[in-house]
Amino acid sequence: MIKKLLKFLFTDGILKKDIAFLKKIVLFKNLSEKHLAKVALIVFKKTYLAGEKIYEVHQEANVVYIVKSGHVRLNAGSDGKFVETGDFFGEISLVGSYKHNCSAVTLKDSELYLIYRAKFDDMFSSNGKAGLVIMKNLALIFAKRLEYSEI
């Protein structure tokens, strides 16, 4: 039964495209095809119109957003950061209960992949290896952002 389900999943065209896209995201680096398929199955796809707010400052951070297409601006006071296709944001939601320190708004029509923390937690509980790989990638991303360098 499981083999039939896995065979179906890996022959599904949309799932294959989602896996190919997710494979390019640094957060999922070194995940197996099987684990990428599991991630693809917990993704919620949402389209935002240009100028639409994704979240506000101080709103609970419980979703990782991956930009499938489009452009998003993250606003923190007078500072801002732009994210586009292949980028992700909101990853702080993976490490605990936090609130956003910026707002996010689309600059043009955008398709985002949303992965809720609860879905990630379920996946991590059932597959520790995938969770370990993702958390290691996340640690490396945070270290790079802090401009950490080994001596």
Side-chain angles (χ1 to χ4, degrees):
M1 176 87 155
I2 298 284
K3 286 185 179 182
K4 283 185 179 182
L5 177 61
L6 287 173
K7 184 177 180 181
F8 168 76
L9 291 175
F10 282 105
T11 57
D12 180 82
I14 294 171
L15 184 61
K16 281 184 177 181
K17 288 179 183 177
D18 287 345
I19 291 169
F21 174 72
L22 291 171
K23 188 182 277 191
K24 297 175 189 172
I25 308 301
V26 68
L27 185 60
F28 305 122
K29 182 180 177 183
N30 298 322
L31 276 185
S32 68
E33 293 275 326
K34 177 181 155 187
H35 292 134
L36 285 167
K38 288 181 180 185
V39 172
L41 291 172
I42 64 171
V43 164
F44 176 74
K45 299 173 186 177
K46 186 170 181 182
T47 300
Y48 291 86
L49 299 176
E52 191 172 349
K53 287 200 177 198
I54 300 167
Y55 59 76
E56 299 276 349
V57 176
H58 306 300
Q59 183 177 330
E60 183 182 351
N62 59 4
V63 178
V64 174
Y65 301 87
I66 303 167
V67 182
K68 172 68 172 162
S69 64
H71 289 86
V72 176
R73 179 175 167 86
L74 306 177
N75 299 311
S78 61
D79 295 332
K81 176 183 174 187
F82 298 95
V83 290
E84 56 190 24
T85 302
D87 292 333
F88 59 92
F89 57 99
E91 62 277 2
I92 194 67
S93 66
L94 292 179
V95 295
S97 192
Y98 291 95
K99 298 198 181 286
H100 290 291
N101 63 358
C102 65
S103 62
V105 63
T106 55
L107 298 176
K108 66 180 196 175
D109 292 356
S110 302
E111 182 182 5
L112 303 182
Y113 284 9
L114 286 64
I115 307 176
Y116 289 86
R117 178 176 54 230
K119 295 287 187 178
F120 261 127
D121 289 347
D122 289 345
M123 189 179 90
F124 292 170
S125 294
S126 66
N127 193 312
K129 184 175 180 180
L132 181 63
V133 170
I134 291 171
M135 290 312 241
K136 182 180 176 184
N137 290 338
L138 188 60
L140 292 170
I141 291 162
F142 287 159
K144 184 177 178 182
R145 289 182 185 166
L146 292 171
E147 297 182 346
Y148 174 82
S149 62
E150 279 189 41
I151 298 174

